[in-house]
Amino acid sequence: MAHIQFVDDLVREYLLFRGFTSTVKAFDMDLKADKDKGFRVDKIVDQILHYINVSDLNGLKEYWAHLDSLVFSKLEIHVQPAVRKIEYSLYKLYLVTASQSTGGVRNEKVAEFLSKMLPELQGQNEWRDWFMLPYIQRPEENPTFSLYYTRAWQDSVLVSLHNLLATVFQCMPQPTLTSYESDAALVKRLQDEISTLRGKAQQPIEKTSPIGHQSRLAQHSERLSGPLPLVDDFCAVPTEQLESGLREARGLRGLLRQMGGSPVMGRKSGRSQSQN
Protein backbone atom coordinates (compact mmCIF):
# COMPACT_ATOMS: atom_id res chain seq x y z
CA MET A 1 0.00 0.00 0.00
CA ALA A 2 2.72 2.44 -0.93
CA HIS A 3 0.13 4.64 -2.68
CA ILE A 4 -1.54 5.52 0.65
CA GLN A 5 0.95 8.31 1.24
CA PHE A 6 0.14 9.76 -2.19
CA VAL A 7 -3.58 9.68 -1.35
CA ASP A 8 -2.85 11.45 1.94
CA ASP A 9 -1.09 14.20 0.01
CA LEU A 10 -4.06 14.50 -2.33
CA VAL A 11 -6.46 14.85 0.59
CA ARG A 12 -4.27 17.46 2.22
CA GLU A 13 -4.00 19.40 -1.05
CA TYR A 14 -7.77 19.32 -1.47
CA LEU A 15 -8.35 20.58 2.08
CA LEU A 16 -5.96 23.47 1.47
CA PHE A 17 -7.70 24.25 -1.82
CA ARG A 18 -11.04 24.43 -0.02
CA GLY A 19 -9.57 26.59 2.74
CA PHE A 20 -10.19 24.08 5.54
CA THR A 21 -7.14 25.19 7.54
CA SER A 22 -8.34 23.83 10.88
CA THR A 23 -9.10 20.49 9.25
CA VAL A 24 -5.61 20.46 7.74
CA LYS A 25 -4.04 20.96 11.18
CA ALA A 26 -6.10 18.12 12.66
CA PHE A 27 -5.24 15.96 9.67
CA ASP A 28 -1.49 16.60 10.11
CA MET A 29 -1.70 15.76 13.81
CA ASP A 30 -3.46 12.49 13.05
CA LEU A 31 -0.83 11.60 10.47
CA LYS A 32 1.94 12.12 13.02
CA ALA A 33 0.19 9.85 15.51
CA ASP A 34 -0.74 7.30 12.85
CA LYS A 35 -0.09 3.83 14.27
CA ASP A 36 -0.71 2.21 10.90
CA LYS A 37 2.29 4.05 9.40
CA GLY A 38 0.38 4.50 6.16
CA PHE A 39 0.15 0.69 5.98
CA ARG A 40 3.85 0.56 5.13
CA VAL A 41 5.05 -2.84 6.26
CA ASP A 42 8.66 -1.82 6.76
CA LYS A 43 7.65 1.06 9.03
CA ILE A 44 5.42 -1.19 11.14
CA VAL A 45 8.18 -3.81 11.52
CA ASP A 46 10.60 -1.07 12.55
CA GLN A 47 8.15 0.17 15.17
CA ILE A 48 7.73 -3.31 16.68
CA LEU A 49 11.49 -3.85 16.63
CA HIS A 50 11.94 -0.52 18.41
CA TYR A 51 9.69 -1.63 21.29
CA ILE A 52 11.68 -4.86 21.55
CA ASN A 53 15.08 -3.17 21.51
CA VAL A 54 14.15 -0.68 24.24
CA SER A 55 12.34 -3.39 26.27
CA ASP A 56 9.03 -1.53 26.18
CA LEU A 57 6.63 -4.37 26.95
CA ASN A 58 3.58 -2.14 27.33
CA GLY A 59 4.26 -0.43 24.01
CA LEU A 60 4.72 -3.79 22.28
CA LYS A 61 1.50 -5.24 23.68
CA GLU A 62 -0.53 -2.12 22.90
CA TYR A 63 0.79 -1.88 19.36
CA TRP A 64 0.09 -5.55 18.70
CA ALA A 65 -3.40 -5.17 20.17
CA HIS A 66 -4.00 -2.29 17.73
CA LEU A 67 -2.92 -4.43 14.76
CA ASP A 68 -5.00 -7.30 16.05
CA SER A 69 -8.16 -5.20 16.26
CA LEU A 70 -7.45 -3.54 12.92
CA VAL A 71 -6.69 -6.55 10.71
CA PHE A 72 -5.75 -9.80 12.50
CA SER A 73 -9.09 -10.31 14.23
CA LYS A 74 -10.86 -10.05 10.87
CA LEU A 75 -8.92 -12.90 9.31
CA GLU A 76 -10.34 -16.37 8.85
CA ILE A 77 -10.13 -18.84 11.72
CA HIS A 78 -7.57 -21.13 10.09
CA VAL A 79 -5.11 -18.18 9.85
CA GLN A 80 -5.32 -17.28 13.54
CA PRO A 81 -2.81 -19.95 14.74
CA ALA A 82 -0.16 -18.52 12.41
CA VAL A 83 -0.81 -15.02 13.73
CA ARG A 84 -0.60 -16.25 17.32
CA LYS A 85 2.66 -18.07 16.60
CA ILE A 86 4.27 -14.89 15.27
CA GLU A 87 3.02 -12.96 18.30
CA TYR A 88 4.62 -15.45 20.69
CA SER A 89 7.81 -15.46 18.62
CA LEU A 90 7.99 -11.69 19.09
CA TYR A 91 7.61 -12.17 22.85
CA LYS A 92 10.46 -14.68 22.83
CA LEU A 93 12.57 -12.26 20.83
CA TYR A 94 11.73 -9.64 23.45
CA LEU A 95 13.02 -11.93 26.23
CA VAL A 96 16.18 -12.84 24.32
CA THR A 97 16.96 -9.18 23.64
CA ALA A 98 16.23 -8.18 27.24
CA SER A 99 18.44 -10.97 28.63
CA GLN A 100 21.39 -9.67 26.60
CA SER A 101 21.24 -6.19 28.15
CA THR A 102 22.81 -5.05 31.40
CA GLY A 103 22.14 -7.46 34.23
CA GLY A 104 21.73 -10.50 32.00
CA VAL A 105 18.88 -12.93 32.52
CA ARG A 106 18.23 -11.55 36.02
CA ASN A 107 17.61 -7.97 34.93
CA GLU A 108 14.36 -6.26 35.78
CA LYS A 109 13.02 -6.34 32.23
CA VAL A 110 13.08 -10.13 32.11
CA ALA A 111 11.42 -10.32 35.52
CA GLU A 112 8.83 -7.75 34.50
CA PHE A 113 7.91 -9.72 31.38
CA LEU A 114 7.53 -13.02 33.24
CA SER A 115 5.42 -11.49 35.97
CA LYS A 116 3.10 -9.59 33.66
CA MET A 117 2.71 -12.37 31.12
CA LEU A 118 2.33 -15.17 33.68
CA PRO A 119 -1.51 -15.23 33.62
CA GLU A 120 -1.54 -15.47 29.83
CA LEU A 121 1.33 -17.88 29.24
CA GLN A 122 1.60 -20.19 32.23
CA GLY A 123 -0.89 -22.74 30.93
CA GLN A 124 0.95 -23.27 27.62
CA ASN A 125 3.57 -25.98 27.25
CA GLU A 126 5.83 -24.01 24.93
CA TRP A 127 6.33 -21.36 27.63
CA ARG A 128 6.99 -23.69 30.52
CA ASP A 129 10.77 -23.64 30.02
CA TRP A 130 10.89 -19.88 29.54
CA PHE A 131 9.95 -19.23 33.16
CA MET A 132 13.23 -20.94 34.03
CA LEU A 133 15.25 -18.44 31.99
CA PRO A 134 16.31 -16.23 34.95
CA TYR A 135 17.95 -19.27 36.58
CA ILE A 136 20.10 -20.27 33.61
CA GLN A 137 23.55 -18.70 33.57
CA ARG A 138 24.31 -18.99 29.84
CA PRO A 139 21.08 -19.52 27.96
CA GLU A 140 22.80 -19.07 24.58
CA GLU A 141 24.66 -22.32 25.30
CA ASN A 142 21.67 -24.19 26.69
CA PRO A 143 20.10 -26.69 24.24
CA THR A 144 16.62 -25.40 25.06
CA PHE A 145 17.37 -21.72 24.30
CA SER A 146 20.42 -21.75 22.04
CA LEU A 147 18.31 -21.63 18.86
CA TYR A 148 16.60 -18.40 19.93
CA TYR A 149 19.94 -16.64 20.37
CA THR A 150 21.02 -17.26 16.78
CA ARG A 151 20.84 -14.52 14.18
CA ALA A 152 19.08 -16.85 11.75
CA TRP A 153 16.10 -17.44 14.04
CA GLN A 154 15.75 -13.76 14.92
CA ASP A 155 15.80 -12.76 11.25
CA SER A 156 13.25 -15.45 10.39
CA VAL A 157 10.82 -13.96 12.94
CA LEU A 158 11.06 -10.51 11.37
CA VAL A 159 10.73 -11.92 7.84
CA SER A 160 7.64 -13.90 8.86
CA LEU A 161 6.13 -10.78 10.42
CA HIS A 162 6.88 -8.80 7.27
CA ASN A 163 5.28 -11.42 5.02
CA LEU A 164 2.20 -11.68 7.24
CA LEU A 165 1.58 -7.93 7.22
CA ALA A 166 2.22 -7.64 3.48
CA THR A 167 -0.25 -10.42 2.71
CA VAL A 168 -2.92 -9.07 5.04
CA PHE A 169 -2.67 -5.50 3.75
CA GLN A 170 -2.81 -6.74 0.17
CA CYS A 171 -6.10 -8.54 0.82
CA MET A 172 -7.74 -5.78 2.83
CA PRO A 173 -10.78 -4.11 1.24
CA GLN A 174 -9.81 -0.60 0.26
CA PRO A 175 -11.89 2.58 -0.03
CA THR A 176 -12.76 3.90 -3.47
CA LEU A 177 -10.26 6.73 -3.24
CA THR A 178 -7.31 4.36 -2.83
CA SER A 179 -8.33 2.14 -5.75
CA TYR A 180 -7.49 4.79 -8.32
CA GLU A 181 -4.26 3.02 -9.28
CA SER A 182 -5.92 -0.26 -10.23
CA ASP A 183 -8.72 1.61 -12.03
CA ALA A 184 -6.19 3.64 -14.00
CA ALA A 185 -4.32 0.47 -14.97
CA LEU A 186 -7.58 -1.11 -16.14
CA VAL A 187 -8.49 1.93 -18.24
CA LYS A 188 -5.00 1.98 -19.77
CA ARG A 189 -5.23 -1.71 -20.68
CA LEU A 190 -8.65 -1.24 -22.29
CA GLN A 191 -7.40 1.74 -24.27
CA ASP A 192 -4.45 -0.28 -25.55
CA GLU A 193 -6.78 -3.09 -26.63
CA ILE A 194 -9.06 -0.63 -28.46
CA SER A 195 -6.08 0.92 -30.24
CA THR A 196 -4.87 -2.52 -31.31
CA LEU A 197 -8.29 -3.49 -32.66
CA ARG A 198 -8.59 -0.19 -34.54
CA GLY A 199 -5.19 -0.75 -36.12
CA LYS A 200 -6.22 -4.19 -37.31
CA ALA A 201 -9.53 -2.87 -38.69
CA GLN A 202 -7.80 -0.10 -40.66
CA GLN A 203 -5.33 -2.41 -42.35
CA PRO A 204 -6.15 -2.58 -46.16
CA ILE A 205 -7.38 -5.88 -47.53
CA GLU A 206 -4.66 -7.57 -49.48
CA LYS A 207 -5.34 -7.36 -53.24
CA THR A 208 -3.82 -9.49 -55.96
CA SER A 209 -1.45 -7.51 -58.11
CA PRO A 210 -1.76 -7.47 -61.95
CA ILE A 211 1.56 -9.23 -62.15
CA GLY A 212 0.12 -12.08 -60.14
CA HIS A 213 -2.86 -12.30 -62.51
CA GLN A 214 -0.59 -12.36 -65.54
CA SER A 215 1.58 -15.10 -64.11
CA ARG A 216 -1.44 -17.27 -63.32
CA LEU A 217 -2.92 -16.65 -66.81
CA ALA A 218 0.37 -17.66 -68.35
CA GLN A 219 0.34 -20.90 -66.38
CA HIS A 220 -3.23 -21.65 -67.53
CA SER A 221 -2.29 -20.83 -71.13
CA GLU A 222 0.57 -23.30 -71.00
CA ARG A 223 -1.77 -25.96 -69.69
CA LEU A 224 -4.38 -25.27 -72.43
CA SER A 225 -1.88 -25.02 -75.27
CA GLY A 226 -0.96 -28.70 -74.98
CA PRO A 227 -2.91 -31.52 -76.66
CA LEU A 228 -6.16 -32.23 -74.87
CA PRO A 229 -7.25 -35.85 -74.48
CA LEU A 230 -10.33 -36.76 -76.55
CA VAL A 231 -13.04 -38.01 -74.28
CA ASP A 232 -15.93 -39.95 -75.95
CA ASP A 233 -18.82 -40.13 -73.52
CA PHE A 234 -20.50 -42.69 -75.69
CA CYS A 235 -17.60 -44.99 -76.22
CA ALA A 236 -19.08 -47.42 -73.75
CA VAL A 237 -22.40 -47.71 -75.68
CA PRO A 238 -22.61 -50.99 -77.72
CA THR A 239 -22.96 -50.64 -81.50
CA GLU A 240 -26.17 -52.65 -81.68
CA GLN A 241 -27.88 -50.42 -79.17
CA LEU A 242 -26.70 -47.35 -81.07
CA GLU A 243 -28.12 -48.65 -84.42
CA SER A 244 -31.45 -49.60 -82.84
CA GLY A 245 -31.69 -46.18 -81.29
CA LEU A 246 -31.17 -44.56 -84.68
CA ARG A 247 -33.94 -46.69 -86.23
CA GLU A 248 -36.32 -45.74 -83.42
CA ALA A 249 -35.50 -42.08 -83.95
CA ARG A 250 -36.26 -42.32 -87.73
CA GLY A 251 -39.58 -44.05 -86.98
CA LEU A 252 -40.52 -41.35 -84.47
CA ARG A 253 -39.81 -38.58 -86.96
CA GLY A 254 -41.97 -40.31 -89.59
CA LEU A 255 -44.82 -40.67 -87.10
CA LEU A 256 -44.67 -36.99 -86.29
CA ARG A 257 -44.84 -36.07 -89.99
CA GLN A 258 -47.93 -38.27 -90.42
CA MET A 259 -49.58 -36.68 -87.44
CA GLY A 260 -48.85 -33.25 -88.86
CA GLY A 261 -50.87 -34.08 -91.98
CA SER A 262 -53.84 -35.59 -90.11
CA PRO A 263 -57.25 -33.75 -90.04
CA VAL A 264 -57.02 -33.34 -86.26
CA MET A 265 -53.64 -31.64 -86.37
CA GLY A 266 -54.85 -29.54 -89.31
CA ARG A 267 -57.87 -28.27 -87.36
CA LYS A 268 -55.65 -27.39 -84.39
CA SER A 269 -53.17 -25.54 -86.55
CA GLY A 270 -56.01 -23.68 -88.39
CA ARG A 271 -57.66 -22.67 -85.12
CA SER A 272 -54.40 -21.35 -83.84
CA GLN A 273 -53.90 -19.31 -87.00
CA SER A 274 -57.43 -17.84 -86.76
CA GLN A 275 -56.78 -16.82 -83.16
CA ASN A 276 -53.65 -15.09 -84.21
Side-chain angles (χ1 to χ4, degrees):
M1 290 190 176
H3 59 281
I4 293 294
Q5 184 177 1
F6 178 71
V7 176
D8 291 341
D9 294 338
L10 289 179
V11 173
R12 190 175 189 279
E13 181 181 359
Y14 174 77
L15 294 175
L16 288 174
F17 173 76
R18 294 296 306 274
F20 300 151
T21 54
S22 58
T23 307
V24 172
K25 293 180 180 179
F27 183 66
D28 290 339
M29 292 180 62
D30 288 339
L31 286 179
K32 290 180 181 180
D34 181 24
K35 292 184 177 181
D36 303 329
K37 307 298 181 182
F39 295 100
R40 294 185 57 180
V41 176
D42 54 341
K43 295 293 184 180
I44 295 177
V45 174
D46 290 343
Q47 184 63 54
I48 292 176
L49 194 58
H50 168 74
Y51 290 133
I52 292 175
N53 290 333
V54 299
S55 298
D56 186 356
L57 180 60
N58 292 330
L60 177 61
K61 287 180 63 64
E62 290 177 1
Y63 196 70
W64 187 265
H66 169 74
L67 295 176
D68 187 53
S69 62
L70 177 67
V71 289
F72 297 151
S73 61
K74 301 175 183 178
L75 297 177
E76 297 181 1
I77 297 177
H78 69 274
V79 185
Q80 297 298 332
V83 176
R84 195 63 57 202
K85 183 177 181 180
I86 293 179
E87 178 186 4
Y88 288 164
S89 296
L90 291 174
Y91 291 156
K92 293 175 182 179
L93 181 60
Y94 177 94
L95 274 176
V96 169
T97 305
S99 65
Q100 291 176 326
S101 61
T102 304
V105 294
R106 292 182 178 272
N107 66 58
E108 58 180 7
K109 293 299 181 180
V110 174
E112 177 191 17
F113 178 91
L114 295 176
S115 62
K116 287 185 176 181
M117 300 298 294
L118 179 62
E120 180 180 347
L121 304 177
Q122 65 176 350
Q124 303 185 29
N125 292 331
E126 66 173 300
W127 285 97
R128 182 180 55 188
D129 295 334
W130 285 90
F131 288 95
M132 301 172 55
L133 184 64
Y135 307 100
I136 299 177
Q137 294 298 327
R138 297 176 181 228
E140 66 275 6
E141 299 178 359
N142 187 282
T144 304
F145 301 101
S146 59
L147 173 66
Y148 304 102
Y149 284 84
T150 61
R151 186 68 177 178
W153 179 84
Q154 298 173 11
D155 290 341
S156 67
V157 173
L158 298 179
V159 170
S160 299
L161 174 62
H162 185 283
N163 294 339
L164 173 65
L165 293 173
T167 303
V168 170
F169 291 160
Q170 188 70 25
C171 299
M172 281 180 59
Q174 300 184 24
T176 305
L177 185 61
T178 59
S179 62
Y180 79 95
E181 191 174 10
S182 58
D183 292 342
L186 177 60
V187 172
K188 179 65 169 58
R189 181 174 61 82
L190 293 176
Q191 290 176 346
D192 293 340
E193 291 180 0
I194 293 174
S195 300
T196 303
L197 293 175
R198 285 179 178 174
K200 291 182 179 180
Q202 293 176 358
Q203 289 180 357
I205 300 175
E206 183 179 357
K207 297 181 179 180
T208 307
S209 63
I211 299 176
H213 279 298
Q214 294 176 2
S215 61
R216 283 197 290 272
L217 288 174
Q219 293 176 2
H220 287 295
S221 300
E222 292 178 358
R223 294 178 182 176
L224 295 175
S225 61
L228 295 177
L230 181 60
V231 179
D232 188 359
D233 293 337
F234 304 98
C235 63
V237 179
T239 307
E240 296 180 356
Q241 295 180 3
L242 181 59
E243 292 177 355
S244 62
L246 292 174
R247 287 195 297 268
E248 293 176 358
R250 294 192 191 100
L252 180 60
R253 286 195 295 271
L255 179 61
L256 290 175
R257 282 195 298 270
Q258 293 177 4
M259 292 175 63
S262 63
V264 178
M265 293 297 292
R267 287 195 297 267
K268 289 183 178 180
S269 60
R271 188 180 302 168
S272 61
Q273 290 177 0
S274 64
Q275 289 176 357
N276 294 332

